[in-house]
Amino acid sequence: MQRSSRLRLTAAALSTVVAVVGTACSSGSGSTDAKGADSGTYTIWDPYPQFDKASAWTKLLDKCGTEAGVKIKRTGFDTSDLSNKALLAAQQDNSADVLIVDNPVVSTLAEAGVLTTTDDNKLDTSKVDPNLLAAGQSGGKTYGTPIGANTLALYYNKKVLKDAGVDIASVKDWTSLTAALEKVKKAGKKGITFSAIGTEEGSFQFLPWFWGAGAKLTELGSAQAVSALTLWTDWLKKGYAPNSVINNTQTTSWQEFAGGDYAFAENGTWQLANAEKVGFDYGILPIPASGGGNAAAPTGGEFVTIPVQGDTGRYATSQKLATCLTSTQNLYDTDTTLSYVAPTSEVQDKQVASNPALKPWVDAVKAAKGRTSDDLGTKYPKISEQMWKAVQSALSGAASPKDALTTAQSAVK
């Protein structure tokens, strides 16, 4: 396998990475140490700085190293810091041997020439759900394999719904969801909270409704897109959702829901531990599409990738490490630790057998979609920025949903 074409690492590539990372991932800091001097030491960079040397994650990395006959030098970075470090290390031909990176960044690193393809590195992706694998594909090539996925769904407060006379089984589409919100408001409680902040988080939370209307990211001004934004603006006008959503992050919207007065909250698998602490019975419902069924929600989660190396002799061992990390048993153990849904049906079935409460999340992940899917690659950040600006404009009353999205589409072009 030959080194790919000269790395095209530009300021634009760096800004693209900063724009798309961090929506649904952990944070912290890490060192910048690269490969050990010993050829028997392999470096792994990941976005899990919260895990120390005694953690199950670090022990798994060491176990995979032992099985491959090498020592592991692991560094955990903040998600955005990791992506930028990966670009800079590639410039210096000093990349990590294995790089675990947030899925929207894969196409950016791939287009910059940082990553090897699965055709070259021989990673087996045959068992991975195609909708999840798509986030790591660009230009018809695949650049890694997912280690796990998370996505969005609706948490609901069972008592609030019961007191309002709402049967959750009746909530199957936008019409029935809105009818439920109306009943909740009439009962003196609050409807739904979400994050519509003017950042990637806002786009991330709007996408299930956008895709659930049948809209496409290449056509922001379509009638389907307008219907999705109209849904949100109508909720605010009728008092079914609070004005605070305009500034809400996913964390602050969760805090609103945790107060116990809201019927619904749009949030992700990463809130499962917090959900056990809210002090009331809750349930989880996949976000409904406009006409029924499950809407596609955007996927969070990371890909295991193998960066381009000047010393091509390192690839064989890197492939062993990546294969070990994504084996059936290791995926099960890792995704349980990370609160992720596994990327393969085989492991998803094991997760649900062990914890039936994960079934709605597995359903949501099966319907989910990568933000850079449809071969959008590095076009996505620009589209997303115009999307969240349109959402902000419409929710604030500065423009109608149609005018806001028409302006957004013009800006993208």
Side-chain angles (χ1 to χ4, degrees):
M1 184 164 45
Q2 298 298 314
R3 185 175 178 82
S4 63
S5 59
R6 182 175 62 85
L7 299 180
R8 305 176 296 282
L9 304 179
T10 63
L14 288 169
S15 64
T16 296
V17 168
V18 172
V20 299
V21 298
T23 301
C25 300
S26 55
S27 63
S29 61
S31 72
T32 58
D33 292 343
K35 293 187 181 73
D38 188 328
S39 62
T41 298
Y42 277 66
T43 56
I44 296 179
W45 289 359
D46 66 51
Y48 315 126
Q50 70 270 32
F51 296 131
D52 60 22
K53 292 182 179 179
S55 68
W57 170 247
T58 301
K59 290 178 180 178
L60 171 60
L61 297 181
D62 290 339
K63 175 187 173 185
C64 286
T66 298
E67 290 179 3
V70 297
K71 294 180 180 179
I72 298 299
K73 184 173 182 62
R74 174 254 175 174
T75 308
F77 292 90
D78 170 85
T79 302
S80 57
D81 195 28
L82 170 61
S83 306
N84 292 329
K85 288 289 195 305
L87 283 163
L88 294 173
Q91 284 182 310
Q92 302 161 357
D93 191 19
N94 197 28
S95 294
D97 292 292
V98 176
L99 177 65
I100 302 171
V101 65
D102 196 18
N103 76 71
V105 183
V106 174
S107 58
T108 296
L109 296 180
E111 290 183 31
V114 175
L115 304 178
T116 61
T117 70
T118 53
D119 285 340
D120 287 337
N121 60 41
K122 308 306 179 187
L123 281 178
D124 182 8
T125 61
S126 60
K127 293 183 179 180
V128 177
D129 288 351
N131 66 314
L132 301 181
L133 190 63
Q137 295 174 326
S138 179
K141 297 180 180 179
T142 304
Y143 289 89
T145 188
I147 199 167
N150 54 28
T151 194
L152 296 165
L154 295 179
Y155 287 83
Y156 60 89
N157 184 320
K158 293 184 178 181
K159 185 177 188 304
V160 169
L161 291 179
K162 181 179 179 180
D163 290 349
V166 175
D167 179 2
I168 191 63
S170 69
V171 180
K172 298 180 178 180
D173 52 24
W174 290 3
T175 299
S176 53
L177 175 58
T178 301
L181 297 178
E182 182 180 7
K183 287 184 177 181
V184 168
K185 184 186 177 187
K186 287 181 177 178
K189 292 295 185 179
K190 299 176 180 179
I192 185 168
T193 181
F194 47 88
S195 170
I197 194 170
T199 68
E200 175 62 20
E201 281 191 70
S203 291
F204 188 75
Q205 291 240 320
F206 182 58
L207 277 170
W209 313 95
F210 182 87
W211 283 331
K216 298 178 180 179
L217 285 170
T218 51
E219 300 173 13
L220 292 181
S222 69
Q224 293 90 340
V226 172
S227 71
L229 189 48
T230 299
L231 179 75
W232 272 19
T233 54
D234 283 351
W235 284 350
L236 262 67
K237 289 176 182 177
K238 295 176 180 178
Y240 301 161
N243 289 325
S244 59
V245 300
I246 296 175
N247 296 312
N248 270 349
T249 64
Q250 293 179 114
T251 298
T252 54
S253 67
W254 176 261
Q255 291 167 347
E256 289 179 335
F257 178 70
D261 288 331
Y262 280 90
F264 296 95
E266 180 182 355
N267 229 295
T269 48
W270 53 92
Q271 298 291 5
L272 281 171
N274 290 328
E276 296 300 324
K277 304 173 185 176
V278 293
F280 55 80
D281 287 338
Y282 73 91
I284 298 164
L285 179 74
I287 296 171
S290 174
N294 297 343
T299 55
E302 287 77 41
F303 266 62
V304 180
T305 68
I306 298 178
V308 171
Q309 303 288 346
D311 179 3
T312 58
R314 302 184 70 84
Y315 290 135
T317 298
S318 296
Q319 192 268 358
K320 290 179 182 178
L321 294 173
T323 298
C324 175
L325 291 174
T326 55
S327 70
T328 296
Q329 183 57 48
N330 289 338
L331 274 179
Y332 177 76
D333 292 340
T334 297
D335 290 343
T336 299
T337 298
L338 298 175
S339 292
Y340 277 165
V341 171
T344 69
S345 294
E346 180 181 11
V347 183
Q348 289 166 3
D349 290 344
K350 289 185 64 175
Q351 289 179 308
V352 173
S354 174
N355 181 6
L358 287 176
K359 180 64 166 60
W361 289 111
V362 169
D363 291 343
V365 164
K366 283 186 175 297
K369 186 174 181 177
R371 283 164 275 174
T372 58
S373 297
D374 298 329
D375 215 24
L376 287 178
T378 53
K379 298 174 185 176
Y380 173 75
K382 185 175 182 180
I383 295 170
S384 175
E385 181 179 1
Q386 296 308 319
M387 174 184 284
W388 82 58
K389 285 181 177 179
V391 169
Q392 287 268 300
S393 181
L395 295 186
S396 67
S400 69
K402 182 177 181 180
D403 288 347
L405 288 166
T406 298
T407 299
Q409 183 60 37
S410 296
V412 170
K413 288 182 177 179

Coordinates of all heavy atoms in Angstrom, one line a residue, residues 26-93:
S26 N -17.7 13.0 24.3 CA -17.1 13.4 25.6 C -16.1 14.5 25.4 O -15.7 14.8 24.3 CB -16.4 12.2 26.2 OG -15.5 11.6 25.3
S27 N -15.6 15.0 26.5 CA -14.6 16.1 26.4 C -13.5 15.9 27.5 O -13.7 15.2 28.4 CB -15.2 17.5 26.5 OG -15.8 17.6 27.8
G28 N -12.4 16.6 27.3 CA -11.3 16.5 28.3 C -10.0 17.0 27.6 O -10.1 17.8 26.7
S29 N -8.9 16.5 28.1 CA -7.6 16.9 27.4 C -6.7 15.8 27.4 O -6.8 14.8 28.1 CB -7.0 18.1 28.2 OG -6.7 17.7 29.5
G30 N -5.7 15.8 26.5 CA -4.7 14.8 26.4 C -3.3 15.3 26.0 O -3.2 16.5 25.7
S31 N -2.3 14.5 26.1 CA -1.0 14.9 25.7 C -0.8 14.8 24.2 O -1.7 14.3 23.5 CB 0.0 14.0 26.4 OG 0.1 12.7 25.8
T32 N 0.3 15.3 23.7 CA 0.5 15.2 22.3 C 1.6 14.2 21.9 O 2.2 14.3 20.8 CB 0.9 16.6 21.8 OG1 2.1 17.1 22.5 CG2 -0.1 17.6 22.0
D33 N 1.9 13.3 22.8 CA 3.0 12.3 22.5 C 2.6 11.5 21.4 O 1.4 11.1 21.2 CB 3.2 11.4 23.8 CG 3.8 12.1 24.9 OD1 4.3 13.2 24.7 OD2 3.7 11.6 26.0
A34 N 3.5 11.2 20.5 CA 3.2 10.4 19.3 C 3.8 9.0 19.5 O 3.8 8.5 20.6 CB 3.8 11.1 18.0
K35 N 4.3 8.4 18.5 CA 4.8 7.0 18.6 C 5.9 6.9 19.6 O 6.7 7.8 19.7 CB 5.3 6.5 17.2 CG 4.3 6.4 16.1 CD 4.9 5.8 14.9 CE 3.9 5.6 13.8 NZ 3.6 6.9 13.2
G36 N 6.0 5.7 20.2 CA 7.1 5.4 21.0 C 8.3 5.1 20.1 O 8.2 4.8 18.9
A37 N 9.5 5.3 20.6 CA 10.7 5.1 19.8 C 10.9 3.7 19.4 O 11.4 3.3 18.3 CB 11.9 5.6 20.5
D38 N 10.4 2.8 20.3 CA 10.5 1.3 20.0 C 9.6 0.9 18.9 O 8.4 1.2 19.0 CB 10.2 0.6 21.3 CG 10.5 -0.9 21.2 OD1 10.4 -1.4 20.1 OD2 10.9 -1.5 22.2
S39 N 10.0 0.2 17.9 CA 9.2 -0.2 16.8 C 8.1 -1.2 17.3 O 7.1 -1.5 16.6 CB 10.0 -0.9 15.7 OG 10.6 -2.1 16.2
G40 N 8.3 -1.8 18.5 CA 7.3 -2.7 19.1 C 6.2 -2.0 19.9 O 5.4 -2.6 20.5
T41 N 6.2 -0.6 19.8 CA 5.2 0.2 20.5 C 4.3 0.8 19.4 O 4.8 1.5 18.5 CB 5.8 1.3 21.3 OG1 6.6 0.6 22.4 CG2 4.8 2.1 22.0
Y42 N 3.0 0.7 19.6 CA 2.0 1.3 18.6 C 1.1 2.3 19.3 O 0.7 2.1 20.5 CB 1.1 0.2 18.0 CG 1.8 -0.5 16.8 CD1 3.0 -1.2 17.0 CD2 1.4 -0.3 15.5 CE1 3.7 -1.8 16.0 CE2 2.1 -0.9 14.5 CZ 3.2 -1.7 14.7 OH 3.9 -2.2 13.6
T43 N 0.9 3.4 18.7 CA 0.1 4.5 19.3 C -1.3 4.4 18.9 O -1.7 4.1 17.7 CB 0.7 5.9 18.9 OG1 0.7 5.9 17.4 CG2 2.1 6.0 19.4
I44 N -2.2 4.7 19.9 CA -3.6 4.8 19.6 C -4.1 6.1 20.2 O -3.9 6.4 21.4 CB -4.4 3.6 20.3 CG1 -4.0 2.3 19.6 CG2 -5.9 3.8 20.1 CD1 -4.7 1.0 20.2
W45 N -4.8 6.9 19.4 CA -5.4 8.1 19.9 C -6.9 8.0 19.9 O -7.5 7.5 18.9 CB -5.0 9.3 19.0 CG -3.6 9.7 19.1 CD1 -2.6 9.2 19.9 CD2 -2.9 10.7 18.3 NE1 -1.4 9.8 19.6 CE2 -1.6 10.8 18.7 CE3 -3.4 11.6 17.3 CZ2 -0.7 11.7 18.1 CZ3 -2.5 12.5 16.8 CH2 -1.1 12.6 17.2
D46 N -7.5 8.4 21.0 CA -9.0 8.3 21.1 C -9.6 9.5 21.7 O -8.9 10.3 22.3 CB -9.4 7.0 21.8 CG -9.0 7.0 23.3 OD1 -9.3 8.0 24.0 OD2 -8.3 6.0 23.8
P47 N -10.9 9.7 21.6 CA -11.6 10.9 22.2 C -12.2 10.6 23.6 O -13.3 11.1 23.9 CB -12.6 11.2 21.1 CG -13.0 9.9 20.6 CD -11.8 9.0 20.7
Y48 N -11.6 9.7 24.4 CA -12.1 9.3 25.6 C -11.2 9.7 26.8 O -10.7 8.8 27.5 CB -12.4 7.8 25.7 CG -13.1 7.3 24.4 CD1 -12.6 6.2 23.7 CD2 -14.3 7.9 24.0 CE1 -13.3 5.7 22.6 CE2 -15.0 7.4 22.9 CZ -14.4 6.3 22.2 OH -15.1 5.8 21.1
P49 N -10.8 10.9 27.0 CA -9.9 11.3 28.0 C -10.4 11.0 29.4 O -9.6 11.0 30.4 CB -9.7 12.8 27.8 CG -10.9 13.2 27.2 CD -11.3 12.1 26.3
Q50 N -11.7 10.7 29.6 CA -12.3 10.4 30.9 C -11.8 9.1 31.4 O -12.0 8.8 32.6 CB -13.8 10.5 30.8 CG -14.5 9.4 30.1 CD -14.7 9.7 28.6 OE1 -13.9 10.4 28.0 NE2 -15.7 9.2 28.0
F51 N -11.3 8.2 30.5 CA -10.8 6.9 31.0 C -9.4 6.9 31.3 O -8.5 7.2 30.5 CB -11.1 5.9 29.9 CG -12.6 5.7 29.6 CD1 -13.1 5.7 28.3 CD2 -13.5 5.5 30.6 CE1 -14.4 5.6 28.0 CE2 -14.9 5.4 30.3 CZ -15.3 5.4 29.0
D52 N -9.0 6.5 32.6 CA -7.6 6.4 33.0 C -7.0 5.0 32.8 O -7.7 4.2 32.2 CB -7.5 6.9 34.4 CG -8.3 5.9 35.4 OD1 -8.6 4.8 35.0 OD2 -8.6 6.4 36.5
K53 N -5.8 4.8 33.3 CA -5.1 3.6 33.0 C -5.8 2.4 33.6 O -5.6 1.2 33.2 CB -3.7 3.7 33.5 CG -2.8 4.7 32.7 CD -1.4 4.7 33.3 CE -0.5 5.6 32.5 NZ 0.9 5.7 33.0
A54 N -6.6 2.6 34.7 CA -7.3 1.5 35.3 C -8.6 1.2 34.7 O -9.3 0.2 35.1 CB -7.5 1.9 36.8
S55 N -9.1 1.9 33.7 CA -10.4 1.7 33.1 C -10.5 0.5 32.3 O -9.5 0.0 31.8 CB -10.8 2.9 32.3 OG -9.9 3.0 31.1
A56 N -11.7 0.0 32.1 CA -11.9 -1.2 31.2 C -11.5 -0.9 29.8 O -11.0 -1.8 29.1 CB -13.4 -1.6 31.2
W57 N -11.7 0.4 29.3 CA -11.3 0.7 28.0 C -9.8 0.6 27.8 O -9.3 0.0 26.8 CB -11.7 2.2 27.7 CG -11.2 2.7 26.4 CD1 -10.3 3.8 26.3 CD2 -11.5 2.3 25.0 NE1 -10.0 4.0 24.9 CE2 -10.7 3.1 24.2 CE3 -12.3 1.3 24.5 CZ2 -10.7 3.0 22.8 CZ3 -12.3 1.1 23.1 CH2 -11.5 2.0 22.3
T58 N -9.0 1.2 28.7 CA -7.5 1.1 28.6 C -7.0 -0.4 28.7 O -6.1 -0.8 27.9 CB -6.9 1.9 29.6 OG1 -7.3 3.3 29.5 CG2 -5.3 1.9 29.5
K59 N -7.7 -1.1 29.5 CA -7.3 -2.5 29.6 C -7.6 -3.3 28.3 O -6.8 -4.2 27.9 CB -8.0 -3.2 30.8 CG -7.6 -2.7 32.2 CD -8.4 -3.3 33.3 CE -7.9 -2.8 34.6 NZ -8.7 -3.4 35.8
L60 N -8.7 -2.9 27.7 CA -9.0 -3.6 26.4 C -7.9 -3.2 25.3 O -7.5 -4.1 24.6 CB -10.4 -3.1 25.9 CG -10.8 -3.5 24.4 CD1 -10.8 -5.0 24.3 CD2 -12.1 -2.9 24.1
L61 N -7.5 -2.0 25.3 CA -6.5 -1.6 24.4 C -5.2 -2.4 24.6 O -4.5 -2.9 23.7 CB -6.2 -0.1 24.5 CG -7.3 0.9 24.1 CD1 -6.8 2.3 24.3 CD2 -7.8 0.6 22.7
D62 N -4.8 -2.5 25.9 CA -3.6 -3.3 26.2 C -3.8 -4.7 25.8 O -2.8 -5.4 25.4 CB -3.3 -3.1 27.7 CG -2.8 -1.7 28.1 OD1 -2.4 -1.0 27.2 OD2 -3.0 -1.4 29.3
K63 N -5.0 -5.3 26.1 CA -5.2 -6.7 25.7 C -5.1 -6.9 24.2 O -4.4 -7.9 23.8 CB -6.7 -7.1 26.1 CG -7.1 -8.4 25.7 CD -8.6 -8.7 26.0 CE -9.0 -10.0 25.4 NZ -10.5 -10.2 25.6
C64 N -5.6 -6.0 23.4 CA -5.4 -6.1 21.9 C -4.0 -6.0 21.5 O -3.5 -6.6 20.6 CB -6.3 -5.0 21.2 SG -8.1 -5.3 21.3
G65 N -3.3 -5.1 22.2 CA -1.8 -5.0 22.0 C -1.1 -6.3 22.2 O -0.2 -6.7 21.4
T66 N -1.4 -6.9 23.4 CA -0.7 -8.1 23.8 C -1.0 -9.2 22.7 O -0.1 -10.0 22.3 CB -1.3 -8.6 25.1 OG1 -0.9 -7.6 26.1 CG2 -0.6 -9.9 25.5
E67 N -2.3 -9.3 22.3 CA -2.7 -10.3 21.3 C -1.9 -10.1 19.9 O -1.7 -11.0 19.2 CB -4.2 -10.3 21.0 CG -5.0 -10.8 22.2 CD -6.5 -10.8 22.0 OE1 -6.9 -10.4 20.9 OE2 -7.2 -11.1 22.9
A68 N -1.6 -8.8 19.7 CA -0.9 -8.5 18.4 C 0.6 -8.5 18.6 O 1.4 -8.3 17.6 CB -1.3 -7.1 17.9
G69 N 1.1 -8.7 19.8 CA 2.5 -8.8 20.1 C 3.2 -7.5 20.2 O 4.4 -7.4 20.0
V70 N 2.5 -6.4 20.6 CA 3.1 -5.1 20.7 C 2.6 -4.4 22.0 O 1.6 -4.9 22.6 CB 2.8 -4.2 19.5 CG1 3.3 -4.8 18.2 CG2 1.3 -4.0 19.4
K71 N 3.3 -3.4 22.3 CA 2.9 -2.5 23.5 C 2.0 -1.4 22.9 O 2.2 -0.9 21.8 CB 4.1 -2.0 24.2 CG 4.9 -3.0 24.9 CD 6.1 -2.4 25.6 CE 6.9 -3.5 26.3 NZ 8.1 -2.9 27.0
I72 N 1.1 -0.9 23.7 CA 0.2 0.2 23.3 C 0.6 1.5 24.0 O 0.7 1.5 25.3 CB -1.3 -0.2 23.5 CG1 -1.7 -1.4 22.7 CG2 -2.2 1.1 23.2 CD1 -1.5 -1.2 21.2
K73 N 0.7 2.6 23.3 CA 0.9 3.9 23.9 C -0.4 4.7 23.5 O -0.6 5.0 22.4 CB 2.1 4.6 23.4 CG 2.3 6.0 24.0 CD 3.7 6.6 23.6 CE 3.9 7.9 24.3 NZ 4.0 7.7 25.8
R74 N -1.3 4.8 24.5 CA -2.6 5.4 24.2 C -2.7 6.8 24.8 O -2.2 7.1 25.8 CB -3.6 4.5 24.9 CG -5.1 5.1 24.8 CD -5.5 5.6 26.2 NE -6.8 6.3 26.1 CZ -7.5 6.7 27.1 NH1 -7.0 6.6 28.3 NH2 -8.7 7.3 26.9
T75 N -3.3 7.7 24.0 CA -3.5 9.1 24.4 C -5.0 9.4 24.2 O -5.5 9.2 23.1 CB -2.7 10.1 23.7 OG1 -1.3 9.7 23.7 CG2 -2.8 11.5 24.3
G76 N -5.7 9.9 25.2 CA -7.0 10.4 25.1 C -7.1 11.9 24.9 O -6.5 12.6 25.8
F77 N -7.8 12.4 23.9 CA -7.9 13.8 23.6 C -9.3 14.3 23.7 O -10.3 13.5 23.5 CB -7.4 14.1 22.2 CG -6.0 13.9 22.0 CD1 -5.5 12.7 21.5 CD2 -5.1 15.0 22.1 CE1 -4.1 12.5 21.3 CE2 -3.7 14.8 21.9 CZ -3.3 13.6 21.4
D78 N -9.5 15.6 23.9 CA -10.8 16.2 23.7 C -11.1 16.0 22.2 O -10.3 15.9 21.3 CB -10.7 17.7 23.9 CG -11.9 18.5 23.5 OD1 -12.9 18.5 24.2 OD2 -11.8 19.0 22.3
T79 N -12.4 15.8 21.9 CA -12.8 15.4 20.5 C -12.3 16.4 19.5 O -11.7 16.0 18.4 CB -14.4 15.4 20.4 OG1 -14.8 14.4 21.4 CG2 -14.8 14.9 19.1
S80 N -12.5 17.7 19.6 CA -12.0 18.6 18.6 C -10.5 18.7 18.6 O -9.9 18.8 17.5 CB -12.6 20.0 18.9 OG -12.3 20.5 20.2
D81 N -9.9 18.6 19.7 CA -8.4 18.7 19.8 C -7.8 17.5 19.1 O -6.8 17.6 18.3 CB -8.0 18.7 21.3 CG -6.5 19.1 21.5 OD1 -6.0 19.8 20.6 OD2 -5.9 18.6 22.4
L82 N -8.5 16.3 19.2 CA -8.0 15.1 18.6 C -8.0 15.3 17.1 O -7.0 14.9 16.4 CB -8.9 13.9 19.0 CG -8.6 12.6 18.2 CD1 -7.2 12.1 18.4 CD2 -9.6 11.6 18.6
S83 N -9.0 15.8 16.5 CA -9.1 16.0 15.1 C -8.0 16.9 14.5 O -7.4 16.6 13.5 CB -10.5 16.5 14.7 OG -11.5 15.6 15.2
N84 N -7.8 18.0 15.2 CA -6.8 18.9 14.8 C -5.4 18.3 14.9 O -4.5 18.5 14.1 CB -6.9 20.2 15.5 CG -8.2 21.0 15.2 OD1 -8.7 20.9 14.1 ND2 -8.7 21.7 16.2
K85 N -5.2 17.6 16.0 CA -3.9 17.0 16.2 C -3.6 15.9 15.1 O -2.5 15.8 14.6 CB -3.8 16.3 17.6 CG -3.8 17.2 18.8 CD -2.4 17.9 18.9 CE -2.2 18.5 20.2 NZ -3.2 19.5 20.7
A86 N -4.7 15.2 14.7 CA -4.5 14.2 13.7 C -4.1 14.9 12.3 O -3.2 14.3 11.6 CB -5.8 13.5 13.5
L87 N -4.7 16.0 12.0 CA -4.3 16.7 10.8 C -2.8 17.2 10.9 O -2.1 17.0 9.9 CB -5.2 17.9 10.6 CG -6.6 17.6 10.0 CD1 -7.5 18.8 10.2 CD2 -6.5 17.2 8.5
L88 N -2.5 17.8 12.0 CA -1.1 18.3 12.1 C -0.1 17.2 12.1 O 1.0 17.3 11.6 CB -1.0 19.1 13.4 CG -1.9 20.4 13.4 CD1 -1.8 21.1 14.8 CD2 -1.4 21.4 12.3
A89 N -0.4 16.0 12.8 CA 0.5 14.9 12.9 C 0.7 14.3 11.5 O 1.9 13.9 11.1 CB 0.0 13.8 13.8
A90 N -0.3 14.3 10.7 CA -0.2 13.8 9.3 C 0.8 14.7 8.5 O 1.5 14.1 7.6 CB -1.6 13.7 8.6
Q91 N 0.7 16.0 8.7 CA 1.7 16.8 8.0 C 3.1 16.5 8.2 O 4.0 16.6 7.4 CB 1.4 18.3 8.4 CG 0.2 19.0 7.8 CD 0.1 20.4 8.3 OE1 0.2 20.7 9.5 NE2 -0.1 21.3 7.3
Q92 N 3.4 16.0 9.5 CA 4.7 15.6 9.9 C 5.1 14.2 9.7 O 6.1 13.7 10.2 CB 4.9 16.1 11.4 CG 4.6 17.5 11.6 CD 4.3 17.8 13.1 OE1 4.3 16.9 13.9 NE2 4.1 19.1 13.4
D93 N 4.2 13.4 9.1 CA 4.3 12.0 8.9 C 4.5 11.3 10.3 O 5.4 10.5 10.5 CB 5.5 11.6 8.0 CG 5.4 10.1 7.6 OD1 4.4 9.5 7.8 OD2 6.5 9.6 7.2

